[in-house]
Amino acid sequence: MVSIIVSGGQWGDEGKAKITDLLSEYADYIVRYQGGANAGHTVSIDNNVYKFHLIPSGILFPNKLCIIGPGTVIEPKILLKELREFTGVVPDIHNVYISGLAHVTMPWHVYIDQASDTVGSTGKGIGPTYTDKAKRTGIKIIDLLDPDILRAKLSVIIPKQNETLQKLHESTTQFELDSVLDEYLDYGEQLRPFVRDTVTELYNANRQRKNILYEGAQGTLLDITFGTYPYVTSSTPISGGACIGAGVGPTTIGHALGVFKSFITRVGHGPFPSELDCDGDLAAQLRQDHTQWAEYGTTTGRMRRVGWFDAVLARYAVKINTYTSIALTKLDTLDQFEKIYICTKYKHKETGEQIHEIPYVDGDYLSMYEPVLTEVDGWQSSTFGVTSWDALPQNAQNYVRLLENMLETPVSIISTGPNRTDSIIRKDVFSC
Ligand code: IMP
């Protein structure tokens, strides 16, 4: 039995969904531990494309319990829509278990997020939901199951939220207790069959030595504490966040798998040292413009900013997450480049001082540096769909080995295409 945490090592969109889907086959439980409908996970199987926001993609397999954990925030309308969409498509939709402790994204959270955003948020109300959780004025999923508790909470919360909205939002959007109460009690009734004590479920699963896969959303550099603050999300995507967000102890975890794309992308505002000019040919090539797999956000449709692999930030991510191994995705995206670049050092914009390691990945601090790039030879042949290490061109093997050396961490999985089968498994992560 091994419990594995899969988390993103960059600014999200590393291809975690493909990796969790690949590993879900060997897991008994798949657990989402933070974030909300700001995430978008795309999985391709036999050329069918499935898009998830809240439900773990493990639901595509039979007999896997998929938990939306206590550390997540849930927008009931989005979750109910997703549950409806996948009913009859997946083997058993009732294998989705929702923690009663998860906080609820209420409609005012979305308004406030959209009216006051300064970081390029997804506009899904994530920041305001976590803010209210920390202010002790949030609503939990279990509250939606109890009319008295929900009425008591809403009667205090709604007047305050209306006041905030009046100040923030120039429109006259206001909420009325009885209609919000009726609407959210109805959502509660629809969600009731899925709501569980997921903490006891996972405790028992651990005692029975089940395989558990913890799935992070977003990525290390968007972590509220360790990311490029303030240009971050409001939760804890790093591997350490899995225990807090799922409600399990650290002694139960066996492997932390970090997912890194072979280059790097970000959406939203904030510093990005190895960023390429978004209008240039290189960016368009890395972004795979005009293909089905172009780098545009699953949740917002926004064009992603792209850049070369940043080994300084990746080393930082390895440190913060203490990754056991790495899954390297989208290797095939680099197939056509004659020369590939890796950001191996940073140079201070004023003093010229060069550094290999960055102590603070804070937004302002990171803005003081520019990238120092190292050039490596490309392989200029197709690796698309390659399934064995030996079949990779020599220069592609060299690229992977170079990253392993720089990150002092083995690459256990390489993804060479969008489909589940387009993968090179170098190490069985569930048995190590
Ligand atoms: P929020 O999570 O919607 O509050 O957005 C905060 C920051 O995180 C913004 O820069 C978003 O673009 C970014 N972000 C949130 N979710 C994702 C994701 O799933 N992938 C990539 N970036 C994300």
Side-chain angles (χ1 to χ4, degrees):
M1 183 278 297
V2 170
S3 285
I4 299 181
I5 300 168
V6 177
S7 67
Q10 296 163 323
W11 277 295
D13 308 316
E14 299 90 350
K16 293 179 294 295
K18 146 100 191 245
I19 302 301
T20 46
D21 172 62
L22 194 63
L23 297 175
S24 291
E25 190 178 347
Y26 311 99
D28 302 300
Y29 287 78
I30 300 102
V31 185
R32 172 86 185 271
Y33 59 84
Q34 45 69 232
N38 48 350
H41 295 162
T42 306
V43 178
S44 306
I45 302 158
D46 301 332
N47 296 319
N48 291 320
V49 178
Y50 304 90
K51 289 183 192 289
F52 297 90
H53 292 291
L54 282 158
I55 302 177
S57 59
I59 198 66
L60 292 166
F61 288 92
N63 306 320
K64 314 280 179 193
L65 292 183
C66 292
I67 292 179
I68 304 177
T72 63
V73 292
I74 295 175
E75 210 287 44
K77 289 193 285 292
I78 294 180
L79 178 55
L80 285 164
K81 181 166 177 275
E82 212 164 300
L83 288 167
R84 273 195 303 274
E85 270 171 18
F86 284 103
T87 300
V89 174
V90 300
D92 188 354
I93 198 69
H94 288 281
N95 284 342
V96 174
Y97 286 13
I98 302 166
S99 167
L101 296 177
H103 273 247
V104 180
T105 295
M106 298 298 288
W108 42 84
H109 293 139
V110 178
Y111 278 108
I112 292 168
D113 192 15
Q114 292 176 0
S116 62
D117 173 50
T118 52
V119 303
S121 85
T122 59
K124 299 287 176 191
I126 306 302
T129 312
Y130 279 112
T131 301
D132 278 346
K133 176 179 177 178
K135 280 166 71 184
R136 276 69 54 96
T137 53
I139 289 175
K140 295 184 198 181
I141 288 289
I142 36 168
D143 300 333
L144 305 186
L145 307 182
D146 187 311
D148 293 336
I149 292 178
L150 189 60
R151 177 177 284 281
K153 288 198 174 177
L154 286 177
S155 61
V156 177
I157 291 168
I158 288 182
K160 289 197 177 135
Q161 296 290 357
N162 279 343
E163 223 176 280
T164 308
L165 283 169
Q166 242 167 5
K167 285 186 203 142
L168 250 188
H169 212 249
E170 282 170 9
S171 87
T172 50
T173 307
Q174 293 282 281
F175 290 92
E176 197 264 314
L177 174 63
D178 284 323
S179 72
V180 175
L181 185 67
D182 287 350
E183 184 181 346
Y184 281 77
L185 285 174
D186 179 47
Y187 296 146
E189 283 315 305
Q190 293 183 60
L191 291 174
R192 192 185 285 277
F194 300 93
V195 179
R196 302 295 176 106
D197 167 9
T198 60
V199 171
T200 305
E201 186 70 39
L202 286 176
Y203 178 73
N204 290 336
N206 272 309
R207 288 182 68 97
Q208 291 160 20
R209 308 185 63 72
K210 301 280 189 191
N211 282 344
I212 305 174
L213 185 65
Y214 297 95
E215 175 186 9
Q218 290 83 46
T220 298
L221 305 173
L222 289 172
D223 186 277
I224 181 89
T225 309
F226 298 103
T228 49
Y229 190 91
Y231 306 103
V232 292
T233 192
S234 313
S235 63
T236 307
I238 59 166
S239 53
C243 290
I244 302 165
V248 295
T251 51
T252 60
I253 306 295
H255 194 115
L257 178 68
V259 186
F260 291 84
K261 202 145 56 181
S262 304
F263 48 103
I264 187 167
T265 59
R266 119 166 263 182
V267 279
H269 312 328
F272 183 168
S274 70
E275 181 171 17
L276 289 162
D277 169 14
C278 70
D279 295 324
D281 290 345
L282 280 177
Q285 217 177 325
L286 274 185
R287 216 168 36 228
Q288 307 136 77
D289 279 1
H290 313 301
T291 71
Q292 201 183 346
W293 315 111
E295 293 277 356
Y296 287 77
T298 314
T299 302
T300 57
R302 290 182 292 181
M303 185 174 82
R304 295 180 186 148
R305 301 158 65 191
V306 289
W308 296 111
F309 189 90
D310 186 326
V312 181
L313 290 178
R315 277 196 294 271
Y316 173 82
V318 164
K319 235 187 276 176
I320 292 294
N321 290 282
T322 324
Y323 284 135
T324 320
S325 76
I326 285 168
L328 188 67
T329 62
K330 289 208 165 186
L331 187 67
D332 55 297
T333 304
L334 302 180
D335 282 352
Q336 300 314 319
F337 289 94
E338 189 185 348
K339 297 289 177 193
I340 294 167
Y341 296 86
I342 302 173
C343 170
T344 47
K345 288 188 282 189
Y346 285 163
K347 186 172 157 195
H348 196 280
K349 286 177 184 166
E350 281 175 14
T351 65
E353 184 205 0
Q354 295 202 5
I355 54 170
H356 280 92
E357 306 278 331
I358 182 139
Y360 308 112
V361 176
D362 167 77
D364 291 330
Y365 195 87
L366 193 58
S367 314
M368 296 176 200
Y369 290 93
E370 58 191 29
V372 178
L373 301 177
T374 296
E375 182 182 277
V376 297
D377 291 331
W379 44 93
Q380 295 193 282
S381 58
S382 176
T383 62
F384 186 80
V386 166
T387 53
S388 86
W389 172 255
D390 292 340
L392 282 181
Q394 189 61 51
N395 283 350
Q397 291 188 0
N398 292 347
Y399 183 71
V400 176
R401 286 211 174 97
L402 188 60
L403 296 189
E404 283 184 313
N405 286 338
M406 286 177 177
L407 306 185
E408 298 175 330
T409 310
V411 171
S412 51
I413 299 172
I414 301 167
S415 170
T416 56
N419 276 301
R420 199 182 267 171
T421 46
D422 303 331
S423 312
I424 301 170
I425 311 288
R426 296 176 76 205
K427 205 170 205 170
D428 173 4
V429 293
F430 266 110
S431 69
C432 55

